[in-house]
Amino acid sequence: MIKIDYRDARPIYEQVMDGIEGLALRGALPADTQLPSVRQLAMELSINPNTIQRAYGELERRGVIYAAKGRGNFISDNAAALRSQRLNELGEQITALAGQARSLGATEEQLRGWVERKGESRT
């Protein structure tokens, strides 16, 4: 479900957040799916429960999850809106990067090739 990389420079709570948010945005965790309890997930990932609590709190603030008093944390039903927002953010980043590449002399053909590579290595 969620993988923690101790070599990653990001704090662990951010990695937990990114993992849960990614699963929700891709539809792997549909709306109203109950998340593991703070203690359960902390034990599964072998990390401090306070770290999970911080991640859950931030995810709730972002609208990715909601808390039901006495029942736990659940995936929010606004994943489509969050997905659309994230895609818009990525589109803005791609546009900015394309502008930078053009200013360095990249051709439209090069830009298309980079986009169409779909994550393949640059060898």
Side-chain angles (χ1 to χ4, degrees):
M1 184 169 149
I2 299 169
K3 297 202 188 305
I4 303 298
D5 181 1
Y6 292 101
R7 291 174 281 156
D8 192 329
R10 294 175 303 150
I12 294 172
Y13 83 95
E14 285 183 9
Q15 293 181 48
V16 172
M17 286 173 41
D18 289 348
I20 293 171
E21 187 172 23
L23 290 169
L25 293 178
R26 286 190 303 274
L29 290 175
D32 298 321
T33 300
Q34 185 170 11
L35 294 173
S37 71
V38 169
R39 289 181 190 218
Q40 181 183 358
L41 188 55
M43 283 180 26
E44 285 177 21
L45 298 176
S46 299
I47 57 178
N48 190 311
N50 292 334
T51 302
I52 302 300
Q53 187 61 48
R54 184 172 181 185
Y56 279 7
E58 183 63 23
L59 287 167
E60 186 174 5
R61 189 186 69 72
R62 289 185 183 182
V64 176
I65 67 172
Y66 66 92
K69 191 120 180 141
R71 292 187 357 188
N73 294 291
F74 298 83
I75 298 295
S76 167
D77 63 353
N78 64 350
L82 292 170
R83 184 179 305 115
S84 176
Q85 177 185 352
R86 184 69 177 127
L87 284 171
N88 286 335
E89 291 169 1
L90 290 170
E92 290 172 8
Q93 291 173 3
I94 290 169
T95 301
L97 287 171
Q100 290 176 17
R102 281 187 191 101
S103 71
L104 293 173
T107 65
E108 293 301 314
E109 184 178 319
Q110 286 176 311
L111 291 172
R112 265 192 303 281
W114 292 329
V115 170
E116 292 172 358
R117 239 187 250 164
K118 300 175 186 160
E120 297 170 13
S121 65
R122 294 183 172 182
T123 57

